[in-house]
Amino acid sequence: MTVDDTGSGTGAHPAPDGEPGRTAEPVTDATSARAAASGGTGQEARPDDRTSEDPGPRGDGHRGEVSGVREDDATDTRAQARPDGRPELRSDARHEANGRVDAPTDPDSDEDPLALRLEGLILGAERRYTPFQAARSAGVSMELASRFWRAMGFADIGQAKALTEADVLALRRLAGLVEAGLLSEAMAVQVARSTGQTTARLAEWQIDSFLEGLTEPPEPGMTRTEVTYPLIELLLPELEEFLVYVWRRQLAAATGRVVQAADDEEMVDRRLAVGFADLVGFTRLTRRMEEEELGELVEAFETTAADLVAAHGGRLIKTLGDEVLYSADDAGVAAEIALRLIETMANDETMPELRVGIAFGTVTTRMGDVFGTTVNLASRLTSIAPRDAVLVDGAFAEELTRTADAPASEAEAAEAAAAAEKEGEEPPSYRFALQPMWQRPVRGLGVIEPWLLARRDTEA
């Protein structure tokens, strides 16, 4: 949604509708930043992002919207009573009672009228600005606006009038954080990029998998388009609230991990266990299976992996179809996840064999992903691991030994057990067993000595 780079967008300018524009003033503190983000009125934003001059109803569950609809504009809603007493809105209403606005349909436009109406429903505001007008209204230079929009993943649209008040507000918020000194410009662009990439994937999944199944016509003769609008109308507020809830939960968990870091460097370069789990022979499967069957297999694998990683205290970094990448602060947690994955997949006859590689060491975290030699080593270990087995590097084996999750050797474990029995004490209990494998060269990493990880036989 980026633009031709014309004009700086600073200073006083006439508004797009001919009214006098506002003058962009520097924001000197966080309070001023909030005021700028709430519309540049100079008033402090309320918790629900409204100024004191915006006393409109907020009962529709949609935060931060700019409806642009007066109370008397909503009289043509043609509401019908529903069993629960709430009004059911006809999808052909021009103005919705909750303040949402359908995008106007232009008879000369090449765009699908239903797509425009769905856009208006989802965005909650009609198209009003060209990119240059939006940047000018937000008091942001075209160069910075372009960087933000591209970072969020929006395509170039030239100077088409396709932006809404929400786009202006987003620019004001990001620019206000930069002007207040809360974020550097580079960090604000990273915020835009990480948010755009994450939500783009979420939106694609919801449309491809979730809404596609729900919008199957319930009655003969009905088209999918006739079902989509009222369905999105009902789902949108619930999905929005749920998204915010999950994000806050994840943010709280991530913040907790950061504040427990020993120093500032550890917050970026941390010692973690990193594991790859890879389906064996997936390429051959793609040639034999139908697309729908293949999609179901991948979804089942990703779902199982995500559930096991989360349940045992790890973090799923990303899924790559036939491969998942996860991390854990504790080597014992990473080992338990790996063996659980192997055991679960082995008990499912529909699943191919699995192999896992884990490495332990310093990892650079950035935008939710992990990078570094440790990650590369885990990937290499996965590629050479036997079927239905887990290979780990020497550093991971040492960490398991240090935490007493595994003995350095079975001979050492036997000696410790004999000594404990002689003293009348309980012998040490180990969860895992480590078996050294032959040293071998690994491309780009030199010679390594992998270890085979397994559950330890308690009777050994």
Side-chain angles (χ1 to χ4, degrees):
M1 197 181 291
T2 14
V3 292
D4 299 330
D5 189 7
T6 55
S8 64
T10 59
H13 301 276
D17 55 4
E19 296 177 358
R22 67 180 184 85
T23 300
E25 297 178 356
V27 183
T28 56
D29 53 31
T31 302
S32 302
R34 291 194 298 270
S38 65
T41 60
Q43 299 177 359
E44 183 173 348
R46 292 184 178 184
D48 60 0
D49 295 331
R50 293 183 294 123
T51 65
S52 58
E53 296 179 0
D54 179 19
R58 305 291 298 181
D60 61 352
H62 300 280
R63 295 184 174 84
E65 292 183 349
V66 182
S67 67
V69 181
R70 298 191 308 272
E71 184 176 358
D72 58 350
D73 287 333
T75 57
D76 188 26
T77 58
R78 307 176 196 178
Q80 298 178 350
R82 296 200 309 210
D84 59 2
R86 294 170 59 192
E88 180 174 355
L89 302 181
R90 291 275 300 277
S91 61
D92 58 351
R94 172 65 180 85
H95 294 287
E96 303 294 346
N98 64 359
R100 295 190 174 278
V101 183
D102 285 346
T105 57
D106 183 356
D108 297 328
S109 175
D110 293 333
E111 297 189 61
D112 187 339
L114 177 63
L116 290 174
R117 293 178 61 240
L118 286 171
E119 177 190 287
L121 172 66
I122 294 170
L123 297 181
E126 62 184 30
R127 297 180 176 188
R128 181 178 177 186
Y129 301 102
T130 66
F132 176 70
Q133 290 170 338
R136 183 175 61 180
S137 297
V140 177
S141 72
M142 279 305 309
E143 180 183 1
L144 185 57
S146 297
R147 291 186 66 194
F148 284 153
W149 280 322
R150 285 175 180 154
M152 286 184 278
F154 300 142
D156 292 351
I157 60 171
Q159 287 303 322
K161 183 175 286 190
L163 304 183
T164 72
E165 290 286 355
D167 297 295
V168 174
L169 181 60
L171 288 178
R172 287 177 184 167
R173 288 188 184 281
L174 285 173
L177 292 172
V178 173
E179 292 173 2
L182 298 175
L183 294 178
S184 67
E185 187 173 306
M187 181 60 68
V189 171
Q190 286 187 13
V191 168
R193 178 172 292 111
S194 62
T195 305
Q197 290 177 355
T198 302
T199 53
R201 184 178 181 187
L202 175 62
E204 289 290 343
W205 178 89
Q206 289 174 331
I207 294 299
D208 291 344
S209 303
F210 185 48
L211 289 176
E212 182 178 354
L214 289 179
T215 54
E216 288 291 342
E219 299 178 8
M222 291 188 68
T223 64
R224 175 168 287 170
T225 56
E226 292 174 325
V227 180
T228 302
Y229 190 99
L231 180 65
I232 290 181
E233 188 176 37
L234 293 173
L235 283 175
L236 190 62
E238 305 303 325
L239 292 177
E240 183 178 26
E241 292 293 331
F242 185 70
L243 174 63
V244 173
Y245 155 74
V246 175
W247 170 71
R248 285 183 177 272
R249 269 289 179 186
Q250 293 286 3
L251 187 64
T255 303
R257 292 192 294 268
V258 168
V259 298
Q260 292 175 16
D263 51 43
D264 290 343
E265 290 185 1
E266 189 178 338
M267 293 193 306
V268 178
D269 297 320
R270 306 164 59 191
R271 288 180 61 79
L272 297 174
V274 178
F276 279 94
D278 178 55
L279 292 175
V280 178
F282 185 77
T283 302
R284 291 193 300 272
L285 284 176
T286 60
R287 301 191 190 104
R288 300 200 313 261
M289 299 180 69
E290 297 290 337
E291 290 185 3
E292 185 174 350
E293 292 178 314
L294 192 63
E296 290 175 354
L297 184 145
V298 169
E299 184 176 358
F301 169 58
E302 291 183 349
T303 299
T304 301
D307 289 346
L308 287 173
V309 170
H312 293 281
R315 292 185 297 282
L316 187 68
I317 304 299
K318 58 186 173 184
T319 59
L320 304 170
D322 63 330
E323 190 174 54
V324 297
L325 169 61
Y326 71 93
S327 69
D329 296 325
D330 181 81
V333 169
E336 182 66 28
I337 290 171
L339 293 173
R340 291 272 183 174
L341 283 169
I342 295 289
E343 293 160 358
T344 302
M345 296 299 172
N347 291 328
D348 189 341
E349 296 180 354
T350 65
M351 283 289 174
E353 295 162 306
L354 189 71
R355 55 191 176 191
V356 181
I358 314 176
F360 186 86
T362 302
V363 174
T364 297
T365 59
R366 189 178 183 86
M367 292 179 64
D369 208 342
V370 290
F371 307 92
T373 303
T374 302
V375 180
N376 296 336
L377 179 55
S379 178
R380 299 288 190 273
L381 288 168
T382 305
S383 64
I384 64 176
R387 296 166 182 261
D388 285 338
V390 182
L391 277 189
V392 303
D393 73 326
F396 188 88
E398 290 178 6
E399 185 67 12
L400 284 182
T401 303
R402 186 187 68 81
T403 58
D405 283 312
S409 66
E410 287 301 323
E412 181 180 302
E415 291 177 2
E421 184 178 357
K422 184 177 181 180
E423 297 293 332
E425 300 175 351
E426 285 289 328
S429 177
Y430 301 106
R431 299 162 59 193
F432 310 110
L434 291 165
Q435 178 184 343
M437 308 292 284
W438 292 103
Q439 291 185 350
R440 60 183 300 170
V442 174
R443 180 169 53 88
L445 297 172
V447 178
I448 64 170
E449 181 182 3
W451 294 69
L452 186 67
L453 175 73
R455 291 201 185 278
R456 188 166 184 275
D457 186 354
T458 56
E459 297 179 357

